[in-house]
Amino acid sequence: MHETAEPTVDDERAKLAAADGPPALAVPFDATPLDATPLRTERMVLRPLLPSDADDVYEYQRLPEVLRFIPWPERDRVEGRQHTEKRAAWRTIADDDDALIFAMVLVGEPSVSISREGAKGDRVIGDLMLRVSSVEHAQLEIGWVVHPAFQGRGLALEGAREVLRFAFESLRAHRVHALLAARNLASAALCERLGMRREGTMLEEEYHYGEWEDSAVYGILRREWAAYL
Ligand SMILES: CC(C)(COP(=O)(O)OP(=O)(O)OC[C@H]1O[C@@H](n2cnc3c(N)ncnc32)[C@H](O)[C@@H]1OP(=O)(O)O)[C@@H](O)C(=O)NCCC(=O)NCCS
């Protein structure tokens, strides 16, 4: 008698993946509408980074504890401003490696800078990145940094949840992943709070501060995100 094999976990996943259909990243995407209609969360406005955010950004960009796990060199204020200007100019997502930076504007928290008109806007306390790893395969990377004085309040989680929603709903990503130093436990905990799965650890992938460091990859698929909401 012919026995039918039980479907494996991989068979089940292949069925679900097929049901998701082929990749269809919604590109080119131009950030201009987000200036007028930014993303909003309970406590923050998430809008494209602006050159005028440079002073607020420098407040976290200059701190060694922030630089420990992100691939930013130490910068003086002038270099910091140039870096913010460069990232603020990333306004279109069309090709692999294109990125968009969302400033995390904490409503009611005064900025460290004063505008030419003498007004203090709300403060940029961190930023969230979305980068295209592959247009062809609808793959995006998410990244985050928050000023230490504003960590431990769930703000990274609140902002990253909204950026994930944007990645899946507006850009139609199939999978979003985060790449982090394996020792970055705060970042790994955030990935897990977001419902991301640890996909793997890459041994001795980078050399920083005189040591080989392992990297971790976390990921979440569109259908996992939809189920996690
Ligand atoms: C990674 C990083 C963004 C995480 O920030 P975070 O503030 O710890 O993350 P969350 O927003 O998820 O906040 C979680 C903490 O807030 C607490 N919290 C307080 N109020 C909360 C709320 N309303 N909702 C959720 N959590 C809340 C949680 O209990 C948790 O505290 P714990 O760390 O003591 O367990 C931050 O560590 C960082 O910017 N690091 C430096 C840059 C960096 O390494 N970037 C990543 C490169 S891959």
Side-chain angles (χ1 to χ4, degrees), residues 43 65-71 143-148 150-158 178-181 184 186-190 193:
R43 293 173 285 180
E65 66 264 43
V66 166
L67 300 184
R68 174 68 188 91
F69 292 125
I70 46 181
W144 36 64
V145 53
V146 171
H147 189 298
F150 298 92
Q151 292 174 15
R153 301 191 196 179
L155 290 165
L157 176 66
E158 189 177 310
L179 278 174
L180 38 132
N184 192 348
S187 201
L190 173 57
R193 281 193 283 272

Side-chain angles (χ1 to χ4, degrees), residues 34-35 38-39 45-50 52-53 101-105 122 124:
L34 289 171
D35 295 328
L39 308 183
V45 171
L46 309 175
R47 53 139 175 89
L49 188 72
L50 298 170
S52 56
D53 295 329
I101 309 293
F102 288 92
M104 301 167 70
V105 183
D122 287 335
V124 176

Side-chain angles (χ1 to χ4, degrees), residues 92-172:
T92 308
I93 290 191
D95 296 309
D96 291 3
D97 293 330
D98 285 348
L100 184 57
I101 309 293
F102 288 92
M104 301 167 70
V105 183
L106 184 59
V107 177
E109 178 70 30
S111 167
V112 301
S113 70
I114 300 174
S115 74
R116 276 195 210 121
E117 296 76 37
K120 259 188 188 266
D122 287 335
R123 179 166 174 176
V124 176
I125 53 99
D127 57 76
L128 290 151
M129 175 202 74
L130 269 186
R131 176 164 42 212
V132 179
S133 343
S134 167
V135 169
E136 188 184 357
H137 305 290
Q139 305 284 311
L140 298 182
E141 179 189 349
I142 190 168
W144 36 64
V145 53
V146 171
H147 189 298
F150 298 92
Q151 292 174 15
R153 301 191 196 179
L155 290 165
L157 176 66
E158 189 177 310
R161 261 197 195 132
E162 182 59 16
V163 168
L164 271 186
R165 189 197 60 72
F166 174 80
F168 287 118
E169 282 185 356
S170 301
L171 296 180
R172 304 209 53 80

